[in-house]
Amino acid sequence: MLKALDAFKKAQGGLALLEFAVALPFLVLALLGFFEIDRYVSMTRRLEITASSIAEQLSQDTLVTPVDVTFAQDSTVVLFPAVLADSARKGVAWSDDIALSMSSIVFSPTNPKCATNCKYSAQVAWSSGSNSLSRPCNVLLQSTSDTQSSSPTTLPADAFGPVPLIVVDVAFNYTPLFGASMVPAITIRRSAYIQPRYTTGNAYLQYSVAGGDNLVTTCQGF
């Protein structure tokens, strides 16, 4: 009996297989983790491109119409095609899987007599899109850190200035392909800020309603 136990302790056969069996679950988890991180980074970058492209598209207009807003919304599936597969996997419409908002922002000096080094307040002239991202009327937008994601009531500090802006906000609930039941969805928010190309001075990009429209909320006074 003692000889058998001594021989068992010295035995090397099957040791590599045992080590591999112990390490395999951790290797698989690491591989899946790297895959999900790469997928998350890729979708984040694609959302940034989506927001920038829609903002650039609107900046080419001298007057935004319901047709422009509808076209910009529908272009989301071209700029961010991953939403089609993701929405199909979740069993929802693609328009319910990603939130999009487009807004025209107007700035005015807090001191009307200011000539140089002025401080500015920001208001929404019009806004469209998802209720969760649409920017509210009659609310002064607050300044936030340039490194933080903006909310419907904030703008990065560097965005404040004398020239109006077009702001496009997008939000997407990233759901992992693996371990979705254990890992909660992560909301990715990205925004783009661009000046209108064909307006002069402090003229903002206006919205024109033809025959009634419920796509856009136009704020009083604009």
Side-chain angles (χ1 to χ4, degrees):
M1 183 69 176
L2 292 176
K3 289 182 179 180
L5 290 174
D6 186 58
F8 178 77
K9 289 192 297 182
K10 295 179 180 179
Q12 300 293 321
L15 183 60
L17 181 61
L18 179 61
E19 291 176 344
F20 179 75
V22 172
L24 181 60
F26 298 99
L27 293 174
V28 172
L29 287 175
L31 179 63
L32 294 179
F34 285 127
F35 172 81
E36 288 294 352
I37 291 173
D38 179 73
R39 182 168 174 264
Y40 174 85
V41 172
S42 176
M43 285 197 173
T44 299
R45 177 56 183 155
R46 180 56 62 179
L47 281 175
E48 292 174 352
I49 294 173
T50 299
S52 298
S53 298
I54 293 176
E56 180 68 30
Q57 174 184 316
L58 292 175
S59 74
Q60 307 299 323
D61 295 321
T62 55
L63 189 70
V64 174
T65 67
V67 173
D68 298 320
V69 172
T70 301
F71 182 82
Q73 290 176 336
D74 292 344
S75 66
T76 304
V77 295
V78 178
L79 298 167
F80 189 64
V83 72
L84 295 175
D86 190 76
S87 61
R89 183 163 59 93
K90 295 176 181 176
V92 299
W94 74 262
S95 55
D96 294 328
D97 199 33
I98 186 171
L100 171 69
S101 174
M102 295 164 278
S103 306
S104 182
I105 308 298
V106 178
F107 297 94
S108 56
T110 53
N111 179 4
K113 297 182 179 180
C114 176
T116 58
N117 298 322
C118 302
K119 293 184 177 181
Y120 295 88
S121 59
Q123 293 187 74
V124 177
W126 57 263
S127 184
S128 75
S130 307
N131 292 333
S132 60
L133 289 181
S134 183
R135 292 177 177 266
C137 293
N138 306 318
V139 174
L140 291 179
L141 303 181
Q142 301 300 309
S143 172
T144 188
S145 170
D146 292 339
T147 59
Q148 293 182 346
S149 298
S150 64
S151 71
T153 57
T154 63
L155 286 175
D158 282 351
F160 285 76
V163 181
L165 290 178
I166 300 165
V167 179
V168 174
D169 303 296
V170 292
F172 175 72
N173 288 328
Y174 174 81
T175 304
L177 288 177
F178 304 99
S181 60
M182 297 179 293
V183 180
I186 303 172
T187 301
I188 308 174
R189 296 179 182 270
R190 288 296 182 269
S191 301
Y193 314 90
I194 194 169
Q195 298 176 2
R197 302 296 187 192
Y198 301 109
T199 60
T200 58
N202 60 354
Y204 65 95
L205 183 62
Q206 298 185 27
Y207 179 76
S208 173
V209 180
D213 175 49
N214 58 0
L215 296 174
V216 173
T217 299
T218 303
C219 302
Q220 187 175 6
F222 297 98

